[in-house]
Amino acid sequence: MNTVIIISANAEWRVVKELYPTLEIQVSPYGEFAEITLNVQRVTLFHGGWGKISAAATAQYVIDHFNPDLLVNLGTCGGFTGRIETGTIILVERTLVYDIIEQMGDGAEAVEYYATDIDLSWINHEQLPAVRGLLVSADRDIIVEDIPMLIEKYDAVAADWESGAIAWVAQKNNTRVLILRAVSDLVGGDGGEAYGNLELFHERTKTVMRELFRQLPEWLNQIK
């Protein structure tokens, strides 16, 4: 099976290069990439870049140039205090982009247009350590004032920058996609625990990315 793993944020990609220091790095117009062997399976690692623009562009580039049977996105996300715990892995079954502001028409319709329901029928995930659910995306860190709205409107528990774009592009190309995001930090009424503390984010990123890669072979083994 031809599998490409997209890693979005720069901090996440640095951890990958620390985990696999002997990677033979190649360069694309969008970012670095390399091949590794997980157990006996050969996979491609691709640095997709942060934000929706890079996420959409690199997802399409990877699909066009690597023709993957499976597109995987591993990374971090911010959780809402009291709704999820740090370190929790989310198996994403639905994404939506919430930073769309429509003042001439129906804003809900615009949000729904970019929402994606991810088909997970091809993987046996019941015994794997993850919470299955929604992940909301925006080109910004979580704003405290947005949290009540995100909970009330979408029952959201966490947010990131890229998942909504990657899932949408994969669906348009009829490409299977597996998105696993681990909660690196929490945001609540008192602010974000990593806001103004980039070192904390980097340390948490190391922890959750190492765990995601530790579990990844087991996830790939569960594909039907």
Side-chain angles (χ1 to χ4, degrees):
M1 183 173 62
N2 181 14
T3 301
V4 178
I5 302 166
I6 292 180
I7 307 297
S8 300
N10 295 342
E12 296 161 359
W13 184 246
R14 282 196 295 270
V15 177
V16 172
K17 295 171 78 170
E18 292 173 3
L19 286 172
Y20 305 103
T22 60
L23 288 177
E24 295 183 4
I25 297 291
Q26 302 180 64
V27 179
S28 78
Y30 294 101
E32 297 178 331
F33 67 97
E35 291 189 351
I36 61 168
T37 300
L38 294 175
N39 289 350
V40 297
Q41 184 171 339
R42 197 71 173 167
V43 303
T44 301
L45 303 174
F46 197 100
H47 182 204
W50 54 271
K52 295 197 295 287
I53 294 173
S54 287
T58 53
Q60 190 64 59
Y61 180 88
V62 163
I63 290 169
D64 289 343
H65 289 79
F66 294 86
N67 193 29
D69 302 302
L70 174 64
L71 191 63
V72 180
N73 177 232
L74 303 181
T76 61
C77 62
F80 302 160
T81 302
R83 306 230 348 131
I84 198 166
E85 298 297 326
T86 303
T88 301
I89 295 173
I90 301 175
L91 169 60
V92 182
E93 63 179 0
R94 178 172 169 82
T95 61
L96 65 82
V97 177
Y98 69 88
D99 61 337
I100 299 173
I101 300 174
E102 169 63 77
Q103 299 192 100
M104 295 180 292
D106 186 346
E109 182 179 344
V111 170
E112 185 59 31
Y113 177 77
Y114 284 108
T116 304
D117 291 306
I118 300 174
D119 175 22
L120 296 172
S121 62
W122 47 270
I123 187 167
N124 294 313
H125 54 80
E126 288 80 5
Q127 304 302 317
L128 295 169
V131 173
R132 181 170 168 165
L134 167 74
L135 193 60
V136 297
S137 298
D139 269 334
R140 61 188 181 193
D141 288 325
I142 299 165
I143 297 174
V144 171
E145 291 76 15
D146 284 347
I147 294 176
M149 176 273 293
L150 293 171
I151 295 173
E152 180 180 354
K153 291 182 68 172
Y154 310 119
D155 196 28
V157 299
D160 75 346
W161 289 54
E162 299 90 13
S163 292
I166 293 170
W168 193 83
V169 170
Q171 185 181 74
K172 291 296 182 183
N173 287 270
N174 296 312
T175 299
R176 290 192 299 185
V177 62
L178 174 66
I179 299 176
L180 296 168
R181 290 276 180 155
V183 178
S184 56
D185 53 283
L186 298 175
V187 183
D190 295 329
E193 59 183 340
Y195 292 178
N197 189 353
L198 194 57
E199 184 58 34
L200 174 66
F201 173 70
H202 287 162
E203 288 302 316
R204 297 275 184 84
T205 298
K206 289 180 182 180
T207 300
V208 300
M209 291 300 293
R210 288 168 179 165
E211 180 61 19
L212 287 169
F213 271 93
R214 186 189 71 79
Q215 292 187 20
L216 183 58
E218 185 177 0
W219 283 93
L220 296 180
N221 286 339
Q222 296 304 312
I223 295 174
K224 300 177 184 178

